[in-house]
Amino acid sequence: MKLKIEHLEKRFLSNAGEQITALEDISLEIEDKEFVCFLGPSGCGKTTLLRIIAGLDSATGGKAVIDDHVIAGPDPKMAMIFQEYSLYPWRNVIDNIAFGLEVRGIPKEERYSAASRYLELVGLNGFEKSYPYELSGGMRQRVAVARALSVEPEVLLMDEPFGALDAQTRNKLQKELLDIWGKTRKTIIFVTHSVDEAVFLADRIVVLTRRPGRVREVIPLDLPRPRDRTSAEFARIRRHVLDLIEDPGHPQ
C-alpha cells in the first residue's frame, strides 16, 4: 500500500464564524503505481483532500499516511501539479524543468542532464531555450509535468491539470500522460471535474458526495488501454458515474 487515508476530516470556520465541514470520514487505500482519479460535484472537497495528501493543508481529524509515515507537511516522495502552470516567466523551458533539482542542491551538470531526459519524455525537444510566453497552454503544462518528474517523486498529485485547455489539446495530453505513466510507473492521484477524463485515465475512480465530502463509491475500471471513448462499456461506466454525481446520495 502506497498511501492510506484513515477517517480523515477537514473542518474550518467561515468568515461569518460558522463551522463548515469540508470532508468527513474519508478512508481510502491507494496502491503503488496505481492511477486514481478523484471526482465529485463542485465544492465536494476534492482539491482539499489532494492538498492534505500533499502536506499543503492539515486535517482536523484522521490522517493521511505514505509508506507508513503520517503526512505532516510536504514530502519529497510527492510532487504536485496545479491547473495553473506555475512556471517562472523569466526562466526558459530547460531552466524551469531544472528548478526543483536546483532547490535541492543537485550539481548543475547532473540537474541539466536529468532535465534534458524529462524534456525528451514530454516531447519538447527543440524548445529548451523557449520561454513560457512562447508556448501554447498544452506545452506549458508539459513543462510543468517534466519539472515535477525531474525530482523523481514516487507519487504525482495532479489538481485539474488539463482543466483550462481546449478539448482537442486536453484529449492529446491525456494520452501523453498515460504514456508517461506507463514509462515511469509513478503512483498518480488526479483530481478532475470531467467524467470522461476520469473514465479514460483511471484504474479506479473515487466519487465523493456533495459537501461534506465523503466517499460515495470507489469504481474499479477493468477496461483495456488505450480506451475507446465510443465503446458501449465506456458509455455505461460514464453514465453510472454521472448518476452518482447528479444524485447527492450517501456513501455506500
Side-chain angles (χ1 to χ4, degrees):
M1 202 63 57
K2 190 65 185 174
L3 283 155
K4 193 169 185 178
I5 300 162
E6 299 179 337
H7 305 293
L8 189 142
E9 68 174 38
K10 177 65 176 178
R11 304 178 191 275
F12 61 92
L13 289 177
S14 69
N15 291 334
E18 176 188 3
Q19 181 170 272
I20 295 173
T21 302
L23 297 168
E24 185 174 72
D25 198 24
I26 300 281
S27 292
L28 285 169
E29 294 182 347
I30 295 173
E31 300 282 354
D32 188 33
K33 302 180 177 61
E34 190 175 19
F35 198 131
V36 175
C37 283
F38 291 168
L39 194 63
S42 293
C44 71
K46 300 183 295 293
T47 293
T48 300
L49 178 56
L50 195 71
R51 286 180 61 85
I52 292 172
I53 294 170
L56 300 176
D57 204 348
S58 57
T60 49
K63 60 184 177 181
V65 177
I66 181 169
D67 292 337
D68 298 322
H69 298 288
V70 175
I71 298 167
D75 189 305
K77 291 181 179 180
M78 295 185 283
M80 189 156 176
I81 299 172
F82 301 90
Q83 182 173 339
E84 303 80 18
Y85 310 116
S86 304
L87 303 181
Y88 297 110
W90 60 88
R91 284 178 170 253
N92 61 29
V93 165
I94 197 72
D95 288 342
N96 262 290
I97 295 172
F99 177 74
L101 296 169
E102 182 181 340
V103 169
R104 294 187 180 190
I106 303 300
K108 184 175 181 178
E109 184 176 348
E110 186 178 341
R111 68 177 181 258
Y112 279 95
S113 174
S116 295
R117 288 198 307 273
Y118 286 103
L119 181 86
E120 181 176 0
L121 183 64
V122 299
L124 286 177
N125 283 342
F127 292 92
E128 293 90 339
K129 301 301 182 183
S130 299
Y131 286 84
Y133 74 88
E134 299 176 294
L135 306 177
S136 68
M139 292 170 76
R140 278 177 281 179
Q141 196 58 292
R142 281 194 240 170
V143 176
V145 170
R147 184 175 64 185
L149 289 172
S150 72
V151 297
E152 296 289 350
E154 296 173 22
V155 180
L156 201 57
L157 308 173
M158 308 185 77
D159 186 13
E160 296 191 70
F162 307 147
L165 303 174
D166 64 85
Q168 185 176 3
T169 302
R170 186 171 185 157
N171 286 352
K172 182 179 180 182
L173 286 186
Q174 289 167 7
K175 293 176 183 176
E176 290 178 358
L177 177 61
L178 286 175
D179 184 54
I180 291 167
W181 174 64
K183 291 174 180 175
T184 63
R185 300 307 292 165
K186 306 294 184 187
T187 303
I188 296 181
I189 304 176
F190 190 105
V191 165
T192 179
H193 274 98
S194 168
V195 173
D196 182 90
E197 184 166 67
V199 176
F200 186 76
L201 291 174
D203 290 324
R204 287 189 299 154
I205 299 173
V206 178
V207 182
L208 301 181
T209 65
R210 298 186 189 279
R211 194 168 70 193
R214 292 169 290 173
V215 177
R216 176 77 163 88
E217 189 173 324
V218 179
I219 303 166
L221 284 89
D222 296 325
L223 295 176
R225 294 185 175 95
R227 291 175 180 163
D228 180 0
R229 299 177 200 262
T230 65
S231 73
E233 184 63 7
F234 192 102
R236 184 194 67 77
I237 296 169
R238 185 176 183 277
R239 181 69 264 168
H240 176 63
V241 176
L242 280 169
D243 288 344
L244 290 173
I245 293 172
E246 290 167 2
D247 176 4
H250 298 284
Q252 295 181 355

